[in-house]
């Protein structure tokens, strides 16, 4: 099979939680012969913005994407609702100024949360400063970066222990931040000129077909246009099942490796985990047939 016909529509740079800088990611994509690459950093377009001129120089087709952290609508009186990732693809036009401003407001709330998280950790006797965490997390400093600092300083042995003991949603240092609901995320992507796609459905709180059907209905009403059928964490069976759901709901299928560089070494750019992905350019062509306006 010709590797030149492959695309990868889900990747992260070091502008969010990937390890590879945007320009280097574009060069790798070119080297392995990808025909199109989408950068879908968490809650920021900074990686795409930096990569775009490099891609243009190299003649690589680079697509503007994003992966939003959202929450399922809260149940009355319930615990903090589960986190859901939503991809957005800006295939026909650049993200609107309004969308960029909305992202900026979300980042502001993340910065406030990070300050509160430092204060809470300090009150628990953990010596940590915001600048230490920001040195590795830069413009998208988040809990994974706090976890790394806690490991480096010897407070915990592993990043997972950092979450379990301090950082997880209901752990002792937990601080809530404003996060959009999934429906709000879908609306913002649409209003900004993009195509919303439900990311890696295997990671949803339930992933059986019946549950997914009732989950998808209101999302489609809100403007969801696609679902990530192909992903490194999806088994063959998952991919078949999600492809059927996409057809049933009239959603486009999207796919990608979810490459994070050294931060997720088992996942390769373009080919996923143990080569479980091989996404043809026709996937992107079909996405382009979906009207976003
Ligand atoms: P933030 O956006 O800063 O709140 O961090 C969210 C990220 O932290 C998620 O995307 C996960 O990578 C990670 N994360 C959140 N909860 C946990 C957990 N319980 N265990 C491990 N990682 C987690
Ligand atoms: Zn990520
Ligand atoms: Fe994700
Ligand atoms: Fe991702």
């Amino acid at each position: 099979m010709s590797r030149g016909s492959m695309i990868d529509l889900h990747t992260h740079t070091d502008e969010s939680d990937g390890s590879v800088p945007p320009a280097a990611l574009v060069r790798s994509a070119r080297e392995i012969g990808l025909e199109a690459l989408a950068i879908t950093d968490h809650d920021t377009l900074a990686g795409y913005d930096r990569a775009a001129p490099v891609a243009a120089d190299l003649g690589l087709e680079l697509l503007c994407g994003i992966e939003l952290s959202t929450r399922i609508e809260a149940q009355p009186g319930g615990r903090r609702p589960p986190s859901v990732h939503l991809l957005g693809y800006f295939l026909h036009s650049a993200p609107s100024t309004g969308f960029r401003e909305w992202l900026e407001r979300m980042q502001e709330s993340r910065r406030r949360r990070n300050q509160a998280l430092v204060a809470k950790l300090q009150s628990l006797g953990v010596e940590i400063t915001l600048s230490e965490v920001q040195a590795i997390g830069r413009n998208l400093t988040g809990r994974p970066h706090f976890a790394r600092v806690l490991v480096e300083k010897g407070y915990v042995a592993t990043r997972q222990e950092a979450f379990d003991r301090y950082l997880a949603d209901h752990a002792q240092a937990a601080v809530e931040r404003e996060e959009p609901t999934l429906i709000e995320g879908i609306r913002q992507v649409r209003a900004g000129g993009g195509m919303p796609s439900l990311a890696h459905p295997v990671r949803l709180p339930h992933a059986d077909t019946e549950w997914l059907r009732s989950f998808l209905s209101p999302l489609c009403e809100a403007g969801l246009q696609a679902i990530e059928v192909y992903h490194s964490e999806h088994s063959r069976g998952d991919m078949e099942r999600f492809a059927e759901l996409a057809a049933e709901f009239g959603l486009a299928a999207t796919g990608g490796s979810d490459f994070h560089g050294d931060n997720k070494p088992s996942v390769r750019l373009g080919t996923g985990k143990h080569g479980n992905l091989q996404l043809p350019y026709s996937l992107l062509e079909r996405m382009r047939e979906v009207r976003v306006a």
Side-chain angles (χ1 to χ4, degrees):
M1 176 123 11
S2 150
R3 297 180 57 108
S5 66
M6 284 194 331
I7 62 173
D8 191 336
L9 304 182
H10 189 158
T11 66
H12 296 272
T13 75
D14 68 354
E15 290 290 336
S16 68
D17 61 351
S19 70
V20 179
L25 179 62
V26 164
R27 281 194 296 271
S28 304
R30 192 72 233 240
E31 273 159 28
I32 67 167
L34 286 187
E35 216 175 336
L37 170 77
I39 291 180
T40 53
D41 273 319
H42 297 282
D43 306 314
T44 178
L45 296 165
Y48 169 80
D49 290 340
R50 286 181 53 204
V54 183
D57 275 353
L58 294 177
L60 176 81
E61 184 173 352
L62 179 69
L63 309 167
C64 179
I66 193 135
E67 184 171 24
L68 298 174
S69 302
T70 75
R71 298 268 172 179
I72 297 179
E73 221 89 25
Q75 322 281 299
R79 277 155 71 92
R80 200 169 168 192
S83 171
V84 177
H85 288 172
L86 178 72
L87 293 159
Y89 292 104
F90 298 84
L91 302 176
H92 302 289
S93 57
S96 70
T97 313
F99 185 75
R100 286 184 182 269
E101 285 166 357
W102 179 73
L103 286 179
E104 193 42 55
R105 286 201 295 282
M106 293 298 135
Q107 287 209 38
E108 195 44 55
S109 92
R110 174 186 286 278
R111 283 192 279 268
R112 282 196 301 274
R113 189 281 313 265
N114 289 344
Q115 280 166 354
L117 186 48
V118 166
K120 206 152 180 181
L121 286 167
Q122 285 173 349
S123 77
L124 292 167
V126 175
E127 280 178 39
I128 192 167
T129 64
L130 192 54
S131 55
E132 285 172 328
V133 191
Q134 277 174 343
I136 48 177
R138 303 188 307 142
N139 85 1
L140 212 81
T141 299
R143 285 182 286 169
H145 309 106
F146 279 82
R148 274 167 61 181
V149 173
L150 290 172
V151 173
E152 279 163 23
K153 295 194 136 188
Y155 286 103
V156 287
T158 65
R159 294 181 197 177
Q160 190 55 53
E161 193 190 338
F163 274 94
D164 295 343
R165 282 186 57 189
Y166 295 106
L167 305 170
D169 280 357
H170 303 280
Q172 46 177 337
V175 180
E176 282 200 33
R177 74 177 164 93
E178 268 174 71
E179 273 173 294
T181 64
L182 178 53
I183 298 272
E184 161 85 349
I186 290 169
R187 296 206 174 114
Q188 290 289 345
V189 170
R190 286 297 293 272
M195 174 195 290
S197 178
L198 185 64
H200 39 62
V202 274
R203 286 205 216 154
L204 288 166
H206 307 273
D208 58 281
T209 304
E210 267 326 299
W211 186 88
L212 275 169
R213 281 203 178 101
S214 56
F215 184 68
L216 281 171
S217 288
L219 303 184
C220 291
E221 262 166 54
L224 186 72
Q225 293 181 304
I227 175 169
E228 191 171 46
V229 169
Y230 309 101
H231 185 269
S232 300
E233 289 166 29
H234 290 181
S235 68
R236 283 274 149 244
D238 291 331
M239 295 181 200
E240 280 166 26
R241 207 156 54 81
F242 298 145
E244 281 164 20
L245 274 172
E248 186 180 324
F249 282 85
L251 297 168
T254 72
S257 64
D258 211 352
F259 178 74
H260 282 74
D262 294 339
N263 295 340
K264 218 191 251 182
S266 62
V267 172
R268 291 275 186 90
L269 185 62
T271 54
K273 232 177 223 176
H274 311 297
N276 67 344
L277 292 178
Q278 174 102 38
L279 301 171
Y281 194 83
S282 57
L283 193 77
L284 176 58
E285 285 171 338
R286 244 167 277 130
M287 286 166 67
R288 286 206 159 104
E289 288 162 12
V290 177
R291 286 187 64 85
V292 297

